[in-house]
Amino acid sequence: MIASRLAAFVAATSALGRAFSLLKRRAAALAAVSAIALPCFAAPAHAANLTRIEIGSPNTTAFLLSGQLVGGELLALQAEVAKLPPDRRVAVILDSPGGLVAEGLKLGHFFHDAKIATFVFAGGFGCHSACALAFLGGRDAATGKPLRVMMSGARLGFHQFGAKFDPAKTYNKKDMGTVVEDTQRVMDSIIGYLHAIHEDLAFLPLMLRAPHEAITLVSDDEALMKGIHVMEQKTQRIIDPSNIVKRRVV
């Protein structure tokens, strides 16, 4: 049951819906007294911020990772998780327009290996591109099964990654060959990542559907078909996608 699996993420005396509502409000109100801003070190000033959010649960620590992924975000998160008892559950709320693919993949690997649940709420940046890849790594600490929760109406978006070109430079055949090789390496890294987190390649078409300048947003029903939990905004009920995925035509 999803309720029993997620109950440890919130205060034991709170109903599941009320607890996630609290988590959402705390994530949105970063000025709350209990929130502690933790700037990601080893990264530029405009890097994503890591914010610890107290949700009133003795068994769970939640963090909000908000902003562009420029490198250093994983190290900042690991530094905070290292301070926690190993049996304490961790949840990460992602609010990022994207950034470095490599950093998103590293975060996703860590979420999966450390059994950290991932969440995307409505409002804010959403979770796009490299952030969306990181989101897929979320896992349930108790069962080890995927635990990625998207609030209905949240902006979870995928698109093709883009190569960076210097407008002042003239590219020759060798340069373009290098760009093609770099692109292939990134794609190989993404495919390897999906295999490592035991995710099928159903998300690749979402990436290929939109060019780098655009974004493909995942609808609530599409999220459920791809194994993502969806939290209804009105009822705050969390829909477990397990049986829906089993009905999916292979």
Side-chain angles (χ1 to χ4, degrees):
M1 292 289 291
I2 183 63
S4 61
R5 295 208 306 268
L6 292 181
F9 281 93
V10 297
T13 57
S14 300
L16 184 61
R18 295 202 313 274
F20 277 102
S21 178
L22 173 62
L23 190 59
K24 178 191 174 185
R25 292 198 302 272
R26 293 293 178 86
L30 299 183
V33 176
S34 58
I36 305 170
L38 305 167
C40 294
F41 47 82
H46 60 277
N49 285 328
L50 186 66
T51 305
R52 180 168 174 167
I53 302 169
E54 302 300 338
I55 59 173
S57 170
N59 303 315
T60 304
T61 295
F63 295 96
L64 171 67
L65 184 62
S66 180
Q68 193 87 4
L69 302 180
V70 301
E73 291 81 11
L74 172 60
L75 187 58
L77 178 60
Q78 288 177 323
E80 294 306 312
V81 173
K83 301 174 185 177
L84 303 174
D87 59 346
R88 188 171 180 82
R89 294 174 182 246
V90 177
V92 174
I93 305 157
L94 295 166
D95 181 37
S96 170
L100 294 178
V101 172
E103 192 69 14
L105 296 181
K106 289 194 295 184
L107 281 165
H109 277 295
F110 181 60
F111 295 152
H112 182 267
D113 294 343
K115 296 182 181 178
I116 293 174
T118 52
F119 299 82
V120 177
F121 291 136
F125 293 113
C127 183
H128 299 167
S129 189
C131 175
L133 289 171
F135 171 78
L136 297 179
R139 276 213 294 169
D140 188 324
T143 67
K145 295 181 179 180
L147 183 52
R148 299 81 55 98
V149 183
M150 182 184 93
M151 177 170 282
S152 60
R155 294 172 56 83
L156 178 65
F158 294 83
H159 66 177
Q160 297 177 27
F161 56 88
K164 292 184 178 180
F165 291 94
D166 183 352
K169 178 180 178 180
T170 300
Y171 287 82
N172 55 32
K173 184 177 180 180
K174 181 179 179 181
D175 294 330
M176 294 308 297
T178 300
V179 171
V180 171
E181 291 176 1
D182 290 344
T183 300
Q184 185 61 54
R185 276 195 292 270
V186 173
M187 182 58 69
D188 289 344
S189 296
I190 293 173
I191 293 174
Y193 164 70
L194 293 175
H195 282 306
I197 65 173
H198 308 295
E199 183 61 70
D200 60 32
L201 301 182
F203 288 93
L204 281 181
L206 292 176
M207 295 178 58
L208 300 176
R209 192 185 303 172
H212 180 67
E213 299 77 15
I215 201 78
T216 297
L217 295 177
V218 180
S219 63
D220 299 339
D221 54 309
E222 192 171 20
L224 288 168
M225 288 296 294
K226 294 187 181 302
I228 295 172
H229 292 76
V230 172
M231 176 183 175
E232 294 179 306
Q233 285 206 52
K234 290 184 178 180
T235 64
Q236 297 179 354
R237 176 182 62 172
I238 295 178
I239 304 173
D240 187 333
S242 300
N243 289 334
I244 295 176
V245 171
K246 290 177 182 178
R247 291 176 177 269
R248 191 171 61 191
V249 178
V250 179

